[in-house]
Amino acid sequence: MKSLNIPSSCKVIVIGGGVIGCSVAYHLTKFGWRDVVLLERDQLTSGTTWHAAGLVSQLGPTAAVTKIRKYTLDLYKTLEKEVEHSAGLRINGALSIAQTDARWQELKRQATTAQLYDIDLQILNKEEINKNYPMMFTEDLKGGILMPGDGAADPSGVTHMLAKAARRGGAKIFEQTPVETILTKNGRVAGVRANGQDIECEYVVLATGMWSRQIGEKVGVSIPLYPAEHFYVITEPIENLSPKLPVIRDFDSSTYFKEDAGKLLIGIFEGKSIPAFNKTNKVPEDFSYGEFPENFEHFEPYLEKSMKRFPVLETAGIRKFFAGPESFTPDTNSLLGEVPEIKNLFVSCGLNSIGIGSGGGVGKVTAEWLMTGHINEDIFNYDIKRFQKFHSELGFIKDRITESLGDLYGMHWPYKQHKTSRNIKKLPYHDSLKSFGACFGVSAGYERPMWFALDGEKAEYEYSYNYQNWYPSVEYETNNTIKNVGLFDLTPFSKFELKSKKAHEELQKICTANIKNEVGKCTYTHMLNKDGGIETDLTIICIGENHFRIISSAATRERDKFHIKKHLSEDMELKDVTDDYCVFGIFGPNSRLLMQKLSNEDFSNKNLKFANSKKVKIDDIETWVQRLSYVGELGYELYVKTTKAKNIYEKIIKEGNNFKISNCGMHALDTMRMESGFLHWGHDISPEENQYQAGLDFTISHKKEIDFVGKGALEKIKNKKLDKKFVMLTLKDSEPGKPLLTHDEPIYLEDKIIGRTTSGNYSFNYKKNLAFGYIKNDFSENELFNTDLYIEIEKHKYPATLLLKPLKISNFKEL
């Protein structure tokens, strides 16, 4: 049946009338795109929004999440007044409590990061918590973090407030209008079919929550999320329960508490969840305001923990037991941005039970992304293109969400690895690596050695915010690499090939460097967005006439492929050869001697200079050798067909034993790249930075006349004073793990925050705690050297020193 009054065409269609869909529609109209239609299959909030607990918190586990949450709360406060519609905000504050030393460290780290965003918070000891909230048992606590500006909102109130604001901006909202399919033409969005009616449009935003995966599946789009059963109970009225009780997050018990009209709502984020809809593996199309049968057996252990925290619960009855579906992603971060499979199809879903608290910021980011084609913020951890196709396969995602739901309240350990859905991609020599003591982590789906256990030690992480149990391994691996030779597995590198008479011309249009068009030459370069933000960090090698190979980091495979294809001419084909080749990094002063043993070729500096490459034979196996190094040493990267890689690995180990070779993991690689001053995309550079801020302007060619993407923005940036600049710092008193430097720690000049860290490691070669970061560009080197600098970790300031050059300086031309 044809729906009345629905236009036959519009600019943007938003599918889904929950808090996210309404937020996206509102922000599109706010930013100037008024020709927006929102289609809801049933009624606004009828999916999962209606049963949300409504918690609103400004502080998140990362800087990017904190920014989004802070914006959300500020928006709700402002919008309530603007559209005269209540969001049901109750700013009673939120108290996060810690039962263990490790959790207390984590909370203090988050509290430290919060200072970068002017979030009001108080650090309380257990006596202060007991005094302020006498109903709670506090004897087992280490302390708590109170955020007075947090609280809760009414999910329905927030959604209808956003919908009202969207309508006022010009958006049209239609309920009872289920979308049957997304229409495409030539790989691009063409419209949707809803209630039998075709509606043409330029853009579609999928804000369809737990239905998103199966909607995407219909049109060949991978959207990795799946619903789990999610639980909370509401008690009978409790006498003397303060209406101003803050939201209590008891992470170590996997529980949270919220006052609810004189009653207490108790929710859980348990360590092993139950996937929903197990019989069909599909969310029913008509599942509106839906609930599942009660499951007291599953909830009971957490109810017991709740009674310990609030002894009054021992005599309180339960008025409501809620069990319903909530979708979760593989890493508990949202799914935003344009999908790689269909042009102009965007997603805004996968909120992992934090939709109300993040809805405003997520809607803003989605609208900006859609309207500009890129986002000038470092939110790769939200970009759907961080995932690959296999991440949405049923077996993978159902297994993973049993763990990822609990990750929300689990410890956010540095270097933490998931336990579920592992061994998806194994290297051909996986068993050999394992026999040498490899502890594996996941990199772009690959099981990749992170470090190698020494002297029969267990190859397992013992997570900590202090000294890392893998430090002895990294000390050995990094020391041996600078003294002898280290073997690093680089197979997960993203690898793409471009073969065409126009290939060089096309690369020149999207790269900032002057790409060398001579067989064997390598070029380090960046690709930018039109505002000059760094979108990719890569090396391009001319491997044949009109034939180029593009190498970028493992994690950005889908994202980089998408960016490159987006800017190539339509008749150009970019081939993804990532899984076709294994890559070995042979680095260290003995690497040339080892290469001479592996092959009859001449590897002298005269015959194979830095940033050059060539095809060689190793045991009659064709191997492409590049003289490049990410660790600051003489070194070579070997590219070999995956089917032949096991033979080459065994040959390298056999011959390498004569030169004291050691297997090395990713922790050693990351440490050594920092010693050499090499930046990493996703940590030290992102679309939030430009090459001048990052000190990478040497990758900009001022000679080539081609108007490459971002060139105009660079010209403007070049002639202005930079607002921030990249710096390297060390701590004056350095010991491994004392303290543990990671990222997002405030950098102080005396008592004022002037920046934040982006990477951290302990260098065993130089006995230094090393940090990268950005500071305001308001200070001379003299001021920075002669005024007290600090890095703050866990609310403690550590004296720091500015480095004007990397710890290790390598003159590759002379090696």
Side-chain angles (χ1 to χ4, degrees):
M1 180 180 173
K2 189 171 180 176
S3 299
L4 298 175
N5 303 320
I6 295 183
S8 58
S9 66
C10 63
K11 191 172 187 71
V12 186
I13 291 175
V14 179
I15 307 175
V19 65
I20 305 303
C22 291
S23 179
V24 172
Y26 160 68
H27 282 94
L28 285 168
T29 62
K30 179 183 179 182
F31 299 151
W33 282 16
R34 304 187 184 283
D35 189 13
V36 176
V37 168
L38 185 150
L39 304 176
E40 162 56 41
R41 66 186 177 91
D42 194 344
Q43 293 179 297
L44 298 185
T45 77
S46 62
T48 55
T49 297
W50 74 273
H51 64 67
L55 306 187
V56 180
S57 173
Q58 301 163 90
L59 186 59
T62 66
V65 175
T66 297
K67 284 166 71 174
I68 281 174
R69 291 186 183 179
K70 189 172 190 298
Y71 171 87
T72 297
L73 184 53
D74 292 342
L75 173 72
Y76 293 169
K77 290 176 182 176
T78 303
L79 213 53
E80 272 192 324
K81 296 171 185 174
E82 282 185 13
V83 302
E84 298 178 329
H85 188 104
S86 174
L89 279 174
R90 296 176 60 218
I91 308 302
N92 287 351
L95 176 66
S96 296
I97 57 177
Q99 297 179 35
T100 65
D101 290 332
R103 180 70 70 177
W104 190 219
Q105 285 183 276
E106 178 178 279
L107 291 182
K108 285 189 288 186
R109 281 177 177 261
Q110 290 183 13
T112 306
T113 299
Q115 294 168 146
L116 295 167
Y117 304 100
D118 298 320
I119 294 174
D120 180 26
L121 58 83
Q122 301 166 23
I123 296 179
L124 306 178
N125 59 38
K126 66 180 179 182
E127 289 77 21
E128 290 169 317
I129 296 172
N130 182 255
K131 179 182 175 183
N132 294 337
Y133 313 107
M135 199 171 276
M136 283 176 58
F137 173 73
T138 59
E139 282 304 305
D140 60 343
L141 299 184
K142 301 295 180 180
I145 305 292
L146 177 68
M147 287 149 287
D150 286 8
D154 169 37
S156 178
V158 168
T159 306
H160 284 92
M161 176 185 71
L162 289 164
K164 186 176 180 180
R167 288 189 183 100
R168 286 177 66 165
K172 298 178 177 67
I173 297 177
F174 298 92
E175 298 180 302
Q176 305 296 332
T177 310
V179 172
E180 294 151 35
T181 190
I182 297 166
L183 306 174
T184 61
K185 187 176 181 180
N186 299 325
R188 180 185 298 270
V189 159
V192 305
R193 181 167 297 140
N195 275 355
Q197 175 183 349
D198 287 0
I199 311 165
E200 294 180 3
C201 66
E202 294 178 46
Y203 299 88
V204 167
V205 179
L206 268 183
T208 44
M210 62 181 173
W211 285 270
S212 300
R213 180 184 170 277
Q214 59 206 54
I215 292 172
E217 201 172 37
K218 288 180 182 177
V219 288
V221 173
S222 172
I223 303 178
L225 54 72
Y226 193 86
E229 295 186 14
H230 195 39
F231 305 90
Y232 61 74
V233 300
I234 301 174
T235 69
E236 296 287 353
I238 295 176
E239 191 176 348
N240 299 324
L241 182 65
S242 171
K244 294 187 177 181
L245 183 76
V247 173
I248 308 290
R249 293 185 176 89
D250 188 353
F251 294 108
D252 296 310
S253 295
S254 306
T255 57
Y256 66 89
F257 307 88
K258 184 187 81 164
E259 191 276 337
D260 187 89
K263 303 176 285 292
L264 201 61
L265 182 150
I266 307 163
I268 65 171
F269 285 96
E270 68 274 31
K272 186 170 176 59
S273 70
I274 305 170
F277 307 109
N278 269 321
K279 288 184 179 179
T280 61
N281 295 321
K282 295 276 187 185
V283 185
E285 300 291 336
D286 60 352
F287 195 83
S288 296
Y289 303 106
E291 297 186 42
F292 297 141
E294 296 176 355
N295 188 341
F296 270 105
E297 185 180 350
H298 187 78
F299 196 88
E300 191 173 20
Y302 305 96
L303 190 58
E304 289 176 3
K305 293 178 182 179
S306 301
M307 289 176 181
K308 179 183 176 183
R309 184 64 55 218
F310 283 90
V312 69
L313 291 174
E314 293 179 11
T315 56
I318 292 177
R319 173 168 289 189
K320 168 71 177 174
F321 186 109
F322 173 80
E326 173 64 52
S327 63
F328 293 85
T329 63
D331 61 2
T332 69
N333 284 325
S334 304
L335 303 175
L336 305 182
E338 189 173 3
V339 303
E341 297 92 343
I342 298 173
K343 289 182 180 177
N344 292 355
L345 175 59
F346 284 73
V347 291
S348 194
C349 56
L351 271 292
N352 306 283
S353 272
I354 53 170
I356 305 303
S358 299
V362 161
K364 172 181 178 284
V365 167
T366 301
E368 289 173 339
W369 207 327
L370 186 147
M371 296 171 78
T372 63
H374 62 271
I375 195 79
N376 290 327
E377 291 183 59
D378 180 12
I379 55 168
F380 176 61
N381 61 337
Y382 272 18
D383 190 340
I384 190 170
K385 293 178 286 295
R386 69 189 184 276
F387 291 119
Q388 297 175 40
K389 285 276 187 187
F390 72 86
H391 286 110
S392 67
E393 291 173 1
L394 201 60
F396 179 96
I397 191 64
K398 281 189 72 175
D399 188 27
R400 174 57 58 81
I401 65 145
T402 64
E403 181 180 6
S404 63
L405 180 149
D407 283 344
L408 284 173
Y409 273 31
M411 288 292 298
H412 298 95
W413 293 114
Y415 318 110
K416 184 178 179 181
Q417 298 290 330
H418 281 106
K419 295 179 180 178
T420 54
S421 299
R422 291 292 297 266
N423 297 312
I424 303 299
K425 294 182 182 180
K426 285 185 177 181
L427 297 165
Y429 35 90
H430 178 91
D431 290 341
S432 296
L433 294 169
K434 190 174 181 180
S435 72
F436 283 116
C439 176
F440 293 97
V442 177
S443 178
Y446 283 94
E447 294 291 325
R448 192 179 193 183
M450 302 303 291
W451 49 279
F452 288 81
L454 300 172
D455 304 323
E457 293 288 324
K458 268 192 171 183
E460 292 178 9
Y461 279 101
E462 294 173 10
Y463 295 119
S464 169
Y465 277 107
N466 302 308
Y467 184 93
Q468 302 295 303
N469 73 307
W470 42 264
Y471 274 167
S473 294
V474 169
E475 182 173 14
Y476 169 71
E477 292 167 22
T478 57
N479 281 335
N480 192 66
T481 299
I482 66 167
K483 290 175 183 174
N484 300 301
V485 60
L487 174 60
F488 296 77
D489 190 86
L490 309 175
T491 299
F493 274 178
S494 301
K495 316 171 196 75
F496 315 108
E497 290 189 7
L498 202 59
K499 194 173 185 179
S500 164
K501 288 182 179 180
K502 291 170 57 182
H504 182 254
E505 178 188 345
E506 293 280 320
L507 288 170
Q508 290 284 64
K509 288 178 184 177
I510 55 178
C511 296
T512 61
N514 190 21
I515 305 304
K516 298 179 181 73
N517 192 14
E518 182 184 336
V519 176
K521 297 291 184 180
C522 309
T523 311
Y524 173 59
T525 188
H526 297 107
M527 295 179 184
L528 311 179
N529 59 46
K530 64 183 180 182
D531 296 321
I534 303 171
E535 291 286 341
T536 70
D537 180 65
L538 35 80
T539 301
I540 297 177
I541 305 97
C542 182
I543 60 173
E545 187 178 357
N546 302 319
H547 191 185
F548 295 84
R549 183 177 290 157
I550 302 167
I551 310 297
S552 66
S553 73
T556 55
R557 177 177 177 179
E558 292 300 324
R559 190 184 187 281
D560 289 351
K561 181 164 54 177
F562 174 84
H563 181 84
I564 296 166
K565 289 172 75 173
K566 180 179 178 179
H567 291 93
L568 290 177
S569 300
E570 289 192 1
D571 59 339
M572 296 293 292
E573 182 185 356
L574 184 74
K575 188 178 180 184
D576 187 337
V577 296
T578 301
D579 298 328
D580 296 348
Y581 295 91
C582 287
V583 186
F584 302 102
I586 297 179
F587 304 134
N590 287 344
S591 59
R592 181 177 284 128
L593 296 172
L594 174 54
M595 292 302 299
Q596 297 287 182
K597 282 289 187 181
L598 292 174
S599 171
N600 293 324
E601 293 285 333
D602 181 1
F603 292 95
S604 66
N605 189 40
K606 180 182 176 182
N607 213 41
L608 187 61
K609 292 182 171 62
F610 178 71
N612 283 261
S613 55
K614 64 180 180 180
K615 193 182 293 181
V616 306
K617 287 280 186 76
I618 299 177
D619 277 0
D620 286 330
I621 296 171
E622 194 174 277
T623 305
W624 185 266
V625 177
Q626 297 171 182
R627 206 186 130 193
L628 296 169
S629 169
Y630 194 45
V631 304
E633 292 292 335
L634 172 68
Y636 305 85
E637 294 174 358
L638 281 60
Y639 287 72
V640 61
K641 284 283 188 181
T642 302
T643 53
K644 302 291 185 181
K646 190 171 186 288
N647 304 44
I648 296 295
Y649 175 80
E650 290 170 350
K651 175 82 171 177
I652 293 170
I653 292 294
K654 181 182 177 182
E655 296 293 345
N657 285 330
N658 298 316
F659 303 99
K660 299 183 179 179
I661 197 169
S662 60
N663 281 291
C664 302
M666 289 306 99
H667 289 309
L669 185 80
D670 194 51
T671 300
M672 296 187 77
R673 68 94 184 171
M674 288 189 69
E675 291 172 348
S676 300
F678 298 151
L679 281 65
H680 184 260
W681 196 97
H683 287 96
D684 313 308
I685 48 176
S686 74
E688 206 164 300
E689 288 79 37
N690 61 62
Q691 292 153 299
Y692 290 102
Q693 293 168 329
L696 296 171
D697 48 306
F698 66 87
T699 64
I700 304 168
S701 171
H702 298 286
K703 292 180 181 177
K704 66 178 186 179
E705 296 178 359
I706 293 171
D707 186 20
F708 58 82
V709 177
K711 185 176 183 179
L714 290 183
E715 291 297 326
K716 293 176 184 175
I717 293 165
K718 183 182 178 183
N719 296 318
K720 289 182 181 178
K721 182 187 174 185
L722 296 174
D723 60 339
K724 65 178 181 179
K725 63 181 178 182
F726 175 78
V727 292
M728 296 178 286
L729 302 165
T730 61
L731 298 186
K732 289 185 176 179
D733 299 316
S734 285
E735 288 185 65
K738 293 182 180 181
L740 182 70
L741 284 162
T742 55
H743 53 80
D744 293 324
E745 295 114 353
I747 301 170
Y748 282 80
L749 187 65
E750 292 189 327
D751 60 347
K752 287 188 171 57
I753 293 176
I754 61 167
R756 70 178 179 96
T757 63
T758 54
S759 290
N761 259 316
Y762 184 81
S763 165
F764 289 95
N765 289 328
Y766 296 90
K767 305 292 185 281
K768 295 284 187 184
N769 268 307
L770 179 61
F772 288 176
Y774 287 86
I775 62 170
K776 293 175 184 175
N777 190 30
D778 297 333
F779 314 99
S780 67
E781 286 179 4
N782 189 51
E783 284 179 280
L784 295 171
F785 274 112
N786 294 310
T787 313
D788 290 334
L789 276 172
Y790 302 94
I791 298 176
E792 187 175 11
I793 299 123
E794 295 174 24
K795 299 301 292 179
H796 181 83
K797 293 186 181 73
Y798 293 85
T801 303
L802 182 71
L803 285 179
L804 291 182
K805 57 185 182 180
L807 294 173
K808 179 177 177 57
I809 301 292
S810 299
N811 190 341
F812 289 110
K813 291 181 180 178
E814 295 178 5
L815 289 174

